[in-house]
Amino acid sequence: DYSPTEGHHPDSTMSMERVQGYSGNKTRNNLHYLDDNGECMLYTVGKILVQFDAKEDIQNFYSEASGNLTSLAVNEAQSICAISHSNFIIVVDLRSMTTLSILRDHDAEIISLDFDDAGKFLVSVADDGCHDRIIVHDWKSGNVIA
């Protein structure tokens, strides 16, 4: 226990236990159900990706993004997702909540993401205010396909 009068310092390690709320402002497609029962969902709150199992009342987090997340896509197998922050994309393993790939091919803010049915390719759309730019990525290799 922390007591400033005794000269003790608080434990310097902290871990996130729970995220309260939802952020839908300036984001697109940032809430996905991960099951047919509506008990497991994936959503963003600021720069945090939250995986919430309502039945078990458990949250898992990805908090490696450096700024507010603007878009979210989940592959069909619901094993990976892509999140965007500003002009780059982070592909996340949903089982371990770890980074699989970082894609930095856009020059403007990414406004939309989606995986192909097989989950091999990821399409992204960025908007510089005048033009939209669409890129198809092989997210594992980091190569731009189109």
Side-chain angles (χ1 to χ4, degrees), residues 1-2 9 25 27 42-43 58 69 80 83 85 90-91 105 108-109 113-114 116 118 134 140:
D1 291 332
Y2 174 66
H9 298 285
N25 190 26
T27 60
L42 188 70
Y43 59 96
I58 297 171
L69 302 173
I80 60 172
I83 50 178
H85 160 61
I90 304 169
V91 181
D105 301 306
E109 182 175 331
L113 298 167
D114 200 11
D116 73 317
I134 300 171
K140 284 184 182 178

Side-chain angles (χ1 to χ4, degrees), residues 112-124:
S112 188
L113 298 167
D114 200 11
F115 286 97
D116 73 317
D117 289 343
K120 180 176 179 171
F121 300 110
L122 176 68
V123 64
S124 57

Side-chain angles (χ1 to χ4, degrees), residues 10-104:
D11 185 359
S12 63
T13 60
M14 292 176 47
S15 64
M16 191 174 336
E17 294 179 5
R18 193 133 191 104
V19 170
Q20 295 293 115
Y22 169 78
S23 177
N25 190 26
K26 296 184 181 179
T27 60
R28 294 161 183 89
N29 200 27
N30 73 331
L31 173 63
H32 291 268
Y33 283 107
L34 299 178
D35 65 2
D36 293 333
N37 301 327
E39 294 175 346
C40 190
M41 59 196 79
L42 188 70
Y43 59 96
T44 62
V45 177
K47 65 180 193 171
I48 307 294
L49 176 67
V50 180
Q51 186 180 51
F52 177 53
D53 182 331
K55 184 176 182 178
E56 301 295 326
D57 195 28
I58 297 171
Q59 290 183 338
N60 294 309
F61 313 101
Y62 178 85
S63 58
E64 302 300 314
S66 59
N68 287 345
L69 302 173
T70 56
S71 190
L72 169 65
V74 179
N75 72 334
E76 192 168 319
Q78 299 178 335
S79 59
I80 60 172
C81 77
I83 50 178
S84 64
H85 160 61
S86 187
N87 64 335
F88 64 93
I89 300 164
I90 304 169
V91 181
V92 177
D93 181 317
L94 292 177
R95 291 178 185 95
S96 63
M97 296 301 267
T98 57
T99 304
L100 296 174
S101 182
I102 298 177
L103 308 170
R104 303 174 194 269

